[in-house]
Amino acid sequence: MIILGVDPGTYFTGYGLIEKQKSGVTHIDNGLISPSKVSLLPDKLKTLFDEMTALIEKFEPQEIALENVFVAKNVKSSLKLGHARGVIMLAAAIRQIPVFEYPPAQIKLAITGFGQATKEQMQKMIRLSLKLKEEAQEDANDALAVALCHSQTMRIQQ
């Protein structure tokens, strides 16, 4: 099963693709979707939708895992994050791909065993778990963490 993990944002959206097999989990790809910083919000959302749709078409994930919304101090930032999440969910819904959401503490707990893990601890565990030669970019690493969290959660539930 191919899982697409997503760390949403309007400036940078990280994505990470893994394949879950009986023998374990394999890294497929990871990267960033980064609309132009000078674009208006509707144009950023269109870029995000187009890029997400292209990833879905290329890799054909069976499930998408998304980092859940956290309440930021800046309400405007939270609203923009909500728009980005909505666009990602729409791209998944059009292809009838189920979306699963996980809060940051649950993701950290699944990856490191500690719900308050640092970015550095997360990056190290992702690199080791997926046998990456180098650490992924921060947002892409977060997306890989979401995908791995989903893989482990589904394994436990089954």
Side-chain angles (χ1 to χ4, degrees):
M1 168 189 311
I2 295 176
I3 300 168
L4 170 58
V6 184
D7 179 31
T10 53
Y11 288 115
F12 300 107
T13 292
Y15 68 88
L17 288 133
I18 61 171
E19 185 168 10
K20 178 182 161 190
Q21 303 162 329
K22 289 183 181 182
S23 60
V25 178
T26 308
H27 173 260
I28 298 173
D29 192 23
N30 70 78
L32 282 180
I33 298 170
S34 52
S36 170
K37 290 184 179 183
V38 296
S39 296
L40 297 174
L41 181 59
D43 295 326
K44 289 179 182 181
L45 295 174
K46 182 183 181 316
T47 299
L48 180 55
F49 177 80
D50 291 344
E51 295 283 331
M52 190 59 53
T53 300
L55 282 171
I56 290 170
E57 288 174 2
K58 180 177 180 181
F59 293 103
E60 300 180 346
Q62 285 80 44
E63 296 178 345
I64 294 178
L66 196 57
E67 187 171 84
N68 212 343
V69 174
F70 62 93
V71 179
K73 292 179 184 175
N74 184 333
V75 174
K76 195 172 184 180
S77 295
S78 295
L79 289 171
K80 288 180 181 178
L81 178 60
H83 293 321
R85 288 171 41 80
V87 165
I88 294 162
M89 289 178 177
L90 175 61
I94 288 171
R95 294 293 295 265
Q96 299 179 342
I97 302 169
V99 176
F100 300 84
E101 301 177 77
Y102 298 95
Q106 184 178 345
I107 296 166
K108 290 176 179 182
L109 183 63
I111 303 305
T112 67
F114 179 57
Q116 301 297 316
T118 65
K119 287 276 186 189
E120 293 79 19
Q121 290 169 324
M122 292 291 289
Q123 286 181 322
K124 183 175 182 179
M125 289 305 296
I126 296 299
R127 188 172 51 80
L128 292 172
S129 297
L130 295 174
K131 300 174 181 74
L132 301 176
K133 293 179 183 173
E134 57 188 41
E135 290 176 354
Q137 187 279 342
E138 187 176 313
D139 297 291
N141 197 72
D142 290 349
L144 287 168
V146 177
L148 279 171
C149 173
H150 177 64
S151 171
Q152 292 177 8
T153 302
M154 291 292 99
R155 185 185 72 210
I156 291 168
Q157 289 179 355
Q158 290 172 352

